[in-house]
């Protein structure tokens, strides 16, 4: 710890998302670092929802953020109440519910002459901007005009209901930002203008609310994304005017794709557009996106599909979208502990060769000194390798438990079709090659496809059923006869029923592969007796008959 840090028990960090959209991996990493920093020092971690932009905020998004954080194992000591979590002495933790508190500080600044009402319309401001542009100067609102209004005039206009904002009166002088990660930077005089602190709708701006809340919630350390670095200047001048304590700042590097582009929702549209083109799809499959929307989206690269629409289109055409948000990774079957481990490495390193660690280790070791200054690159291949390793290291029981939990949430229909024993044998058969908790569901969709909708991979048909001497179909017919006479439909009974045939052929594979293709549509499935047992007698025979009939 450096000398400037307060006593350990006093450390308070906060994660302060604006609840629109979903929790991005970058935000998740900020939360993780805030959590680790506070918890590793016996401090408190606060979750605060910054919903002052009413148009863009939603309750659903707030709940989504909370759920994602809890799924990652990032619990908070104070914050919105959700299923036994949250609450605390410094609430409410939604900024939209704190307007009265903010008003107190607006009044204080107004009474001291550190803030003033301004009545310029959007057109007037645009004209001021245009004039600055003509002069080739950056626009800085200085407010001579607004500040020249008499108190009576201001009163009269407010009473008349003229739209007004409150602006902070920034005093002349350079502003120095101390940052534990990036070092110090001084903004020259005039860089910060008289910015808006209360919007015409009565809500505080981000800058104002953040400063008041950080003070009232006792935040000692502000760790947030680097894009907020310059905002700190505004926060500092406000803190000084309000005689608030100054938190310690640490701005975290952004997370980029390996090619240096920003990891954003656009990446999904890009992959989806390519899949649509590659597959020669000209109209959206029914139940996905409507035709007009689809056509507009295809034509204009700047249009993005809504997340759910994009997801359903991707699913219908068999495209896999890149994960960007925490819930994408969750849906794809990544383990939360692996995500945390991997995210921590994107921007921080524990030193030495250590790469794999858990949250407890992070908590005990996280420090600002080893946070990097430059952008981190998100290496998906490495993440997948981490996930595979973690899954391989699980016991069989743990694998079954975790896949089942994933399945109940993401694939309830699939789960409802299998008995516990069938599911367990599917898990046992899939554990070794599973890179994610979702692989087993993705690769075994044939189990839940209606029998009459099953189609066959042409290559597999050619190789294993039409091909061979004699053709695989000959063995398939013989196997079908034996199966039809098998009373008991269990793995040992099925194995016993087919044994005479496999013994006479001398190669189990020559029966197993045609059977597998016939019942699953392709050449990869769990062991054949498990596959047949899971499908059941009726489905298995029906699929074999349909396959033979299709030849
Ligand atoms: N609501 C801001 C955001 O989501 C928080 C910035 C901050 O941590 O101060 O980016």
């Amino acid at each position: 710890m450096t000398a400037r840090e307060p006593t350990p028990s006093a450390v308070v960090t906060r994660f302060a998302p604006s609840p629109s959209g979903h929790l991005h991996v970058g935000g998740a990493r900020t939360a993780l670092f805030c959590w680790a920093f506070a918890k590793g020092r016996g401090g408190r971690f606060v979750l605060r929802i910054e919903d002052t932009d009413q148009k863009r905020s939603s309750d659903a998004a707030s709940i989504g953020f909370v759920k994602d954080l809890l799924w990652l194992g990032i619990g908070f000591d104070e914050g919105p109440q959700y299923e036994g979590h949250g609450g605390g002495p410094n609430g409410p933790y939604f900024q939209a519910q704190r307007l009265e508190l903010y008003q107190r500080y607006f009044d204080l600044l107004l009474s001291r002459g550190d803030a003033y009402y301004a009545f310029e319309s959007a057109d007037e401001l645009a004209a001021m901007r245009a004039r600055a542009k003509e002069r080739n100067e950056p626009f800085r609102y200085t407010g001579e005009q607004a500040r020249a209004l008499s108190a009576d005039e201001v009163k009269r206009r407010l009473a008349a209901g003229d739209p007004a904002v409150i602006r902070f009166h920034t005093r002349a002088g350079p502003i120095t930002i101390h940052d534990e990660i990036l070092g110090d930077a001084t903004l020259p005089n005039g860089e910060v203008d008289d910015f808006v602190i209360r919007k015409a709708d009565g809500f505080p701006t981000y800058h104002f609310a953040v400063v008041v809340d950080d003070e009232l919630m006792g935040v000692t350390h502000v760790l947030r994304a680097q894009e907020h670095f310059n905002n700190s200047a505004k926060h500092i001048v406000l803190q000084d005017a309000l005689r608030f304590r100054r938190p310690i700042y640490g701005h975290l590097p952004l997370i980029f794709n390996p090619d240096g582009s920003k990891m954003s929702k656009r990446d999904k549209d890009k992959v989806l557009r390519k899949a649509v083109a590659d597959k020669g799809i000209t109209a959206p499959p029914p139940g996905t996106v409507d035709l007009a929307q689809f056509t507009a989206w295809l034509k204009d690269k700047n249009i993005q599909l809504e997340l759910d629409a994009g997801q359903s289109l991707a699913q219908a055409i068999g495209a896999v979208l890149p994960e960007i948000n925490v819930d994408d990774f969750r849906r794809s079957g990544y383990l939360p502990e692996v995500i945390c481990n991997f995210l921590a490495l994107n921007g921080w390193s524990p030193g030495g060769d250590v790469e794999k660690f858990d949250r407890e280790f992070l908590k005990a070791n996280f420090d600002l000194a080893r946070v990097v200054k430059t952008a981190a690159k998100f290496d998906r291949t490495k993440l997948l390798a981490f996930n595979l390793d973690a899954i391989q290291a699980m016991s069989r029981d743990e694998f079954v438990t975790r896949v089942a939990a994933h399945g109940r949430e993401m694939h309830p229909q699939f789960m409802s079709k299998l008995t516990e024993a069938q599911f367990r044998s599917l898990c046992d058969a899939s554990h070794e090659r599973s890179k994610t908790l979702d692989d087993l569901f993705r690769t075994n969709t044939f189990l839940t496809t209606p029998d009459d909708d099953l189609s066959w991979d042409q290559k597999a048909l050619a190789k294993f059923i039409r091909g061979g001497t004699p053709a695989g179909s000959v063995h398939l017919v013989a196997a079908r006869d034996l199966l039809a006479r098998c009373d008991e439909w269990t793995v040992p009974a099925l194995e016993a029923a087919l044994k005479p045939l496999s013994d006479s052929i001398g190669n189990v594979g020559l029966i197993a592969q045609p059977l597998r293709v016939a019942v699953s549509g392709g050449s990869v499935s769990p062991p054949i007796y498990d596959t047949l047992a899971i499908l059941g007698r009726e489905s298995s025979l029906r699929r074999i008959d349909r396959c033979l009939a299709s030849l």
Side-chain angles (χ1 to χ4, degrees), residues 90-170:
N90 300 305
Y93 295 93
F94 287 86
Q95 287 185 329
Q97 296 169 18
R98 298 172 63 82
L99 300 189
E100 272 171 41
L101 286 169
Y102 303 131
Q103 192 56 46
R104 259 188 249 161
Y105 293 98
F106 288 130
D107 292 342
L108 189 68
L109 291 180
L110 287 167
S111 71
R112 287 185 188 152
D114 284 328
Y116 56 89
Y117 284 98
F119 296 89
E120 283 90 359
S121 66
D123 286 347
E124 281 171 291
L125 287 170
M128 288 158 95
R129 261 190 211 103
R131 281 200 295 278
K133 200 169 172 205
E134 269 165 31
R135 291 196 303 269
N136 245 338
E137 286 169 8
F139 171 63
R140 307 248 193 267
Y141 182 96
T142 50
E144 282 90 6
Q145 209 180 310
R147 274 185 285 116
L149 294 176
S150 71
D152 284 345
E153 174 69 359
V154 169
K155 236 191 214 158
R156 191 192 60 74
R157 294 189 65 171
L158 290 176
D162 284 3
V165 299
I166 298 178
R167 286 182 179 266
F168 180 69
H169 184 18
T170 305

Side-chain angles (χ1 to χ4, degrees), residues 14-18 48 50 206 210 214 222-225 227-228 235:
R14 87 307 194 266
F15 177 53
S18 304
R48 178 174 75 223
E50 304 211 322
Y206 154 66
V210 100
D214 282 347
V222 170
L223 310 181
R224 62 185 170 197
E227 60 202 14
H228 289 295
H235 303 172

Side-chain angles (χ1 to χ4, degrees), residues 122-335:
D123 286 347
E124 281 171 291
L125 287 170
M128 288 158 95
R129 261 190 211 103
R131 281 200 295 278
K133 200 169 172 205
E134 269 165 31
R135 291 196 303 269
N136 245 338
E137 286 169 8
F139 171 63
R140 307 248 193 267
Y141 182 96
T142 50
E144 282 90 6
Q145 209 180 310
R147 274 185 285 116
L149 294 176
S150 71
D152 284 345
E153 174 69 359
V154 169
K155 236 191 214 158
R156 191 192 60 74
R157 294 189 65 171
L158 290 176
D162 284 3
V165 299
I166 298 178
R167 286 182 179 266
F168 180 69
H169 184 18
T170 305
R171 310 291 169 168
I175 304 163
T176 298
I177 306 168
H178 298 288
D179 188 291
E180 290 287 306
I181 296 165
L182 299 175
D184 294 354
T186 299
L187 272 66
N189 187 24
E191 192 74 14
V192 176
D193 68 356
D194 282 7
F195 54 100
V196 175
I197 53 177
R198 197 184 79 175
K199 297 179 275 186
D201 64 6
F203 278 76
T205 55
Y206 154 66
H207 302 298
F208 190 80
V210 100
V211 164
V212 170
D213 288 347
D214 282 347
E215 168 71 15
L216 296 186
M217 294 177 181
V219 171
T220 57
H221 292 73
V222 170
L223 310 181
R224 62 185 170 197
Q226 238 171 54
E227 60 202 14
H228 289 295
F229 181 80
N230 277 343
N231 290 336
S232 308
K234 290 182 176 152
H235 303 172
I236 286 170
V237 292
L238 278 172
Q239 284 153 3
D240 288 350
L242 289 163
R243 326 264 198 273
F244 285 170
R245 296 160 292 185
R246 170 100 24 101
I248 291 169
Y249 286 106
H251 286 89
L252 307 166
L254 296 179
I255 301 182
F256 283 138
N257 286 314
D259 68 2
S261 62
K262 216 172 158 185
M263 265 183 93
S264 83
K265 206 169 129 229
R266 280 174 194 283
D267 299 349
K268 295 190 181 194
D269 289 87
K270 213 164 123 190
V271 168
L272 199 50
R273 274 201 185 89
K274 184 167 184 304
V276 164
D278 288 352
K279 291 174 198 268
I281 292 166
T282 49
T288 57
V289 188
D290 74 44
L291 183 62
Q293 198 186 8
F294 179 83
T295 317
W297 170 77
L298 263 193
K299 245 196 233 148
D300 184 350
K301 301 243 175 318
N302 291 316
I303 297 181
Q304 295 178 39
L305 288 179
E306 285 297 319
L307 278 184
D308 290 345
Q311 199 70 44
S312 69
L313 178 59
Q315 207 164 355
I317 67 170
V320 181
L321 301 184
E323 298 87 357
I324 307 286
N325 299 319
V326 170
D327 60 356
D328 296 332
F329 288 96
R330 174 183 188 166
R331 205 174 315 114
S332 293
Y334 284 88
L335 308 171

